[in-house]
């Protein structure tokens, strides 16, 4: 699978054909243990080790592939083995593993716990390999008994629960987790200028709206669908500039504060693409497909600087968009965000 094979119709205003997702750079960043977190340009920085956050996202994208080749399946199995090793008997997870294969932290319930459940839930629902689905469901079920006080951690866990419920509608632990995730996130506020359930946009914001939308679809006692759609519609509208997607940068945006433009992160774009794809599927409204196309276009150059945010030669995603152009490092998070977004282009491009 190459990084430059185009699909027939361009998603962005610039007329660029969407490349097929390439796992070449992801394989470069991986070894027999897991997925290295950082790279300098396209070269792995082994000294920074591995993190559950990225390995979990690796399991998400490898499990999403409808017809994975042997290498993608091997990556999925490796990532699953990493996550089951990171999980303790009570369902919490370590996050940081050094290159010496020693954990540098204690098991916890931070974002990495939520993303681990997201990866496990996606594998349990979507992997074409039965042995992966079965083991992933065991690990998911153990972790789904826990709760985090952090809305983002609960949002990521809720995404995993939604995946499980789409395949196993009677899974009680997943149902309870999705309900609790939507409750922790909350619904939109009454102020039309800021209908967000928190006073600040931070990171992966669209994931919070996506969980509320998913809970409205999959839970009889879930929140109203209109609430999640209002949240996502507002986020879409405030992240537009000259017809292109311009996501809230790493520093965040506080209510009544100045709207910053840089440093934009690929994780925001991927979360927005996921949420719009879910909204399009749940509602049947083709208007949400435009958001997916804008997210793909952001990587191809339809962004504030007009520059591609990936390297066609390596298949890696650039780490961030600054006022002067891309950060040319191609770490795990950005590459996974690129792959996740391009996976949607197969359907909406």
């Amino acid at each position: 699978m190459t990084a430059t094979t185009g699909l027939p119709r361009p998603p962005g205003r610039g007329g660029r054909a969407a490349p097929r997702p390439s796992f070449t750079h992801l394989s470069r960043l991986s070894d027999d243990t897991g997925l290295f977190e950082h790279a300098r340009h396209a070269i792995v920085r082994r000294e920074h080790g591995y993190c559950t956050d990225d390995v979990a996202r690796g399991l998400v994208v490898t499990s999403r592939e409808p017809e994975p080749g042997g290498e993608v399946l091997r990556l999925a199995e490796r990532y699953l083995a990493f996550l089951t090793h990171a999980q303790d008997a009570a369902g919490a997870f370590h996050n940081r593993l050094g290159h010496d294969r020693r954990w540098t932290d204690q098991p916890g319930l931070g974002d990495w716990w939520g993303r681990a459940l997201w990866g496990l839930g996606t594998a349990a629902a979507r992997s074409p390999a039965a042995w992966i689905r079965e083991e992933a469901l065991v690990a998911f079920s153990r972790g789904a008994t826990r709760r985090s006080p952090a809305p983002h951690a609960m949002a990521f866990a809720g995404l995993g629960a939604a995946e499980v419920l789409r395949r196993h509608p009677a899974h009680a632990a997943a149902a309870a987790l999705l309900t609790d995730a939507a409750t922790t996130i909350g619904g939109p506020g009454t102020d039309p200028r800021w209908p967000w359930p928190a006073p600040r946009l931070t990171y992966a914001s669209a994931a919070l709206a996506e969980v509320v939308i998913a809970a409205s679809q999959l839970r009889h006692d879930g929140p109203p669908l209109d609430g999640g759609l209002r949240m996502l519609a507002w986020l879409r509208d405030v992240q537009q500039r000259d017809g292109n997607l311009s996501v809230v940068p790493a520093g965040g945006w506080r209510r009544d504060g100045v709207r910053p433009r840089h440093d934009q992160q690929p994780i925001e774009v991927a979360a927005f693409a996921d949420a719009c794809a879910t909204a399009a599927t749940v509602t049947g409204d083709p208007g949400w497909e435009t958001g997916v196309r804008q997210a793909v276009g952001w990587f191809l150059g339809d962004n504030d600087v007009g520059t591609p945010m990936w390297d066609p030669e390596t298949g890696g995603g650039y780490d961030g968009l600054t006022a002067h152009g891309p950060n040319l490092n191609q770490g795990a998070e950005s590459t996974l965000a690129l792959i996740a977004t391009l996976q949607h282009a197969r359907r909406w491009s």
Side-chain angles (χ1 to χ4, degrees), residues 293-304:
R293 296 190 185 100
Q294 285 187 320
V296 175
W298 185 92
F299 280 102
L300 304 186
D302 294 337
N303 50 52
D304 285 353

Side-chain angles (χ1 to χ4, degrees), residues 57-92:
R57 285 181 282 213
L59 187 56
V60 169
V61 299
T62 53
S63 298
R64 282 179 175 179
E65 281 298 289
E67 297 179 354
E71 176 59 18
V72 173
L73 271 178
R74 284 189 289 272
L75 288 174
E77 188 170 7
R78 200 172 309 158
Y79 300 157
L80 175 58
F82 183 102
L83 294 181
T84 58
H85 178 52
Q87 188 177 37
D88 71 6

Side-chain angles (χ1 to χ4, degrees), residues 16-299:
R16 305 168 182 85
R20 297 185 185 278
S22 168
F23 289 82
T24 301
H25 189 56
L26 199 63
S27 294
R28 185 181 294 115
L29 294 174
S30 302
D31 66 1
D32 61 353
T33 297
L35 174 60
F36 287 104
E37 183 176 9
H38 292 299
R40 183 165 54 231
H41 295 158
I43 304 302
V44 169
R45 300 289 300 275
R46 298 180 188 277
E47 66 272 25
H48 295 291
Y50 321 82
C51 71
T52 293
D53 263 327
D54 288 334
V55 174
R57 285 181 282 213
L59 187 56
V60 169
V61 299
T62 53
S63 298
R64 282 179 175 179
E65 281 298 289
E67 297 179 354
E71 176 59 18
V72 173
L73 271 178
R74 284 189 289 272
L75 288 174
E77 188 170 7
R78 200 172 309 158
Y79 300 157
L80 175 58
F82 183 102
L83 294 181
T84 58
H85 178 52
Q87 188 177 37
D88 71 6
F93 288 83
H94 292 279
N95 187 34
R96 299 273 172 196
L97 185 71
H99 189 227
D100 61 1
R101 312 305 196 268
R102 296 183 180 182
W103 294 109
T104 63
D105 62 355
Q106 295 299 312
L109 301 172
D111 282 1
W112 60 93
W113 164 80
R115 287 197 175 103
L117 293 187
W118 182 17
L120 293 167
T122 305
R126 299 204 202 186
S127 176
W131 71 90
I132 290 178
R133 293 197 307 271
E134 292 164 3
E135 178 61 21
L137 187 59
V138 169
F140 171 86
S141 299
R142 176 182 293 171
T145 63
R146 305 299 302 272
R147 297 292 183 268
S148 172
H152 278 80
M154 289 295 287
F156 301 136
L159 293 176
E163 292 280 5
V164 170
L165 288 170
R166 292 182 185 113
R167 188 177 182 97
H168 303 285
H171 196 288
L177 178 57
L178 181 57
T179 297
D180 289 347
T183 300
T184 300
I185 292 164
T190 58
D191 185 350
R193 298 170 301 173
W194 192 272
W196 197 251
R200 188 167 179 263
L201 292 175
T202 53
Y203 59 95
S205 297
L208 279 68
E210 183 182 1
V211 167
V212 176
I213 293 169
S216 72
Q217 175 201 23
L218 296 167
R219 299 295 298 136
H220 295 301
D221 56 351
L225 175 60
D226 180 65
L229 293 175
R230 280 177 55 206
M231 290 165 60
L232 185 58
W234 176 77
L235 191 64
R236 174 196 61 198
D237 293 346
V238 298
Q239 295 190 130
Q240 299 290 315
R241 188 179 190 188
D242 298 330
N244 293 326
L245 185 63
S246 177
V247 295
V248 172
W253 179 28
R254 183 170 291 279
R255 180 175 184 166
D256 298 328
V258 176
R259 166 77 158 82
R261 294 290 174 188
H262 303 285
D263 181 18
Q264 295 181 31
Q265 299 292 299
I267 184 179
E268 297 299 324
V269 181
F272 182 71
D274 282 353
C276 287
T278 294
T281 299
V282 169
T283 66
D285 181 353
W288 291 110
E289 299 170 18
T290 301
V292 178
R293 296 190 185 100
Q294 285 187 320
V296 175
W298 185 92
F299 280 102

